[in-house]
Amino acid sequence: MDQVQDVVLYAVERGVARITLNRPDRLNASNGLLSRGLTAAFTRAAADPAVRVVLLTGAGRAFCAGADLQVLDELSDNPAAQNSGSGGLRYDGLMSMPKPVVAAIHGPCAGIGLALACSADIRIAADDAVFVAPFAKLGLCAEGGLAWLLSRLMGPGNAAEMLLSARRIAADEAYAKGLVSRLLPLAGFHDAALAYAVELAQGAPSSFALIKRQLGDASGEDFETARANAAELARETLHGSDFGEALAAKREGRPARFTPVTATFAPPISES
């Protein structure tokens, strides 16, 4: 097994690709190797017709504690070293993944790790999760598109307070402010997260891709445009094979056999 496969584990179970950040001794801190491993794992999941949902989590005591200190040192000495440190992957690229991405967060979730989690479609957290955007105390801007992501998830006021204070946000506060959708006990958390992803995977892959596109478009559309686009898509999906299969499955009392979806995952690359 090569180094990239070592730092990002990949397994498929019941329609779910479980992608695990695997640098537990470094609290899964991000570096170029981890970024390349994530790119490979998401590319593999997108292309696999057996995968309907992606579950992203971390090994050991953390989800992701942010950028590795070695990467930060390199950036301090030479800002042009960003690509060598990050592997060139912009973590927000996973928003282009046509399949739902669930981030299962426990322990520290900070910096670029927070950007990774916020780029997922759904965030669920263990009760020991801690969220930190430390940039204001490091003399940095809010990286990874976090100003946009947090404003959209928590509202502008909550995003401003989190970013400007750079304070630790406990799991219960993150849940109350909408940063995470579900809050679960740490005991049995990974099993519960997998069960949630397996249940989610019962949906139609074609619907997942369309709904993700609609959610992505929503921030730049007014309601009438969104409604008109949805009406056009509705006409297409009402005549689609998956809708007919869903109705037949209900009548026959069986699980629906939806058409698998494959896609090419092409995340954007850092400009700097």
Side-chain angles (χ1 to χ4, degrees), residues 1-248:
M1 187 179 295
D2 61 31
Q3 284 185 301
V4 169
Q5 291 175 313
D6 283 341
V7 299
V8 176
L9 306 181
Y10 184 93
V12 177
E13 180 179 350
R14 290 178 286 169
V16 175
R18 182 158 41 180
I19 297 174
T20 305
L21 311 183
N22 190 41
R23 301 186 74 215
D25 57 321
R26 304 292 295 173
L27 298 180
N28 300 317
S30 173
N31 64 3
L33 200 61
L34 188 78
S35 295
R36 290 191 291 275
L38 282 172
T39 302
F42 279 109
T43 299
R44 185 175 175 182
D48 187 348
V51 172
R52 294 187 177 187
V53 172
V54 174
L55 178 65
L56 179 64
T57 191
R61 298 185 294 111
F63 177 75
C64 176
D68 193 285
L69 288 177
Q70 182 179 356
V71 173
L72 295 177
D73 287 341
E74 289 174 0
L75 291 174
S76 178
D77 293 338
N78 176 19
Q82 182 169 350
N83 277 345
S84 64
S86 68
L89 174 67
R90 275 174 33 189
Y91 283 159
D92 57 296
L94 65 88
M95 290 190 288
S96 67
M97 164 72 68
K99 303 175 183 184
V101 180
V102 179
I105 304 157
H106 68 291
C109 178
I112 199 67
L114 178 62
L116 174 62
C118 288
S119 298
D121 300 297
I122 300 169
R123 281 152 299 286
I124 59 179
D127 53 19
D128 76 327
V130 178
F131 302 85
V132 188
F135 309 105
K137 291 184 177 178
L138 295 173
L140 297 171
C141 70
E143 294 182 339
L146 270 172
W148 187 90
L149 289 164
L150 290 173
S151 293
R152 194 174 185 190
L153 294 172
M154 304 170 68
N158 287 328
E161 198 279 333
M162 183 176 184
L163 289 168
L164 295 173
S165 70
R167 68 181 179 86
R168 295 162 60 90
I169 305 294
D172 56 351
E173 182 179 354
Y175 175 70
K177 291 182 174 178
L179 182 56
V180 300
S181 299
R182 294 192 177 198
L183 189 58
L184 302 171
L186 178 60
F189 174 67
H190 291 292
D191 288 339
L194 178 60
Y196 174 81
V198 169
E199 181 180 358
L200 186 65
Q202 304 311 304
S206 60
S207 292
F208 289 154
L210 286 174
I211 290 169
K212 285 198 63 168
R213 191 176 86 194
Q214 288 177 290
L215 289 168
D217 291 343
S219 61
E221 295 177 334
D222 58 34
F223 175 73
E224 281 304 315
T225 301
R227 185 203 60 77
N229 289 340
E232 182 176 346
L233 288 172
R235 286 191 290 272
E236 295 176 15
T237 53
L238 283 170
H239 292 91
S241 60
D242 279 341
F243 181 61
E245 166 61 14
L247 293 181

Side-chain angles (χ1 to χ4, degrees), residues 244-257:
E245 166 61 14
L247 293 181
K250 283 185 177 294
R251 285 194 298 268
E252 297 165 15
R254 58 170 175 81
R257 295 184 287 269

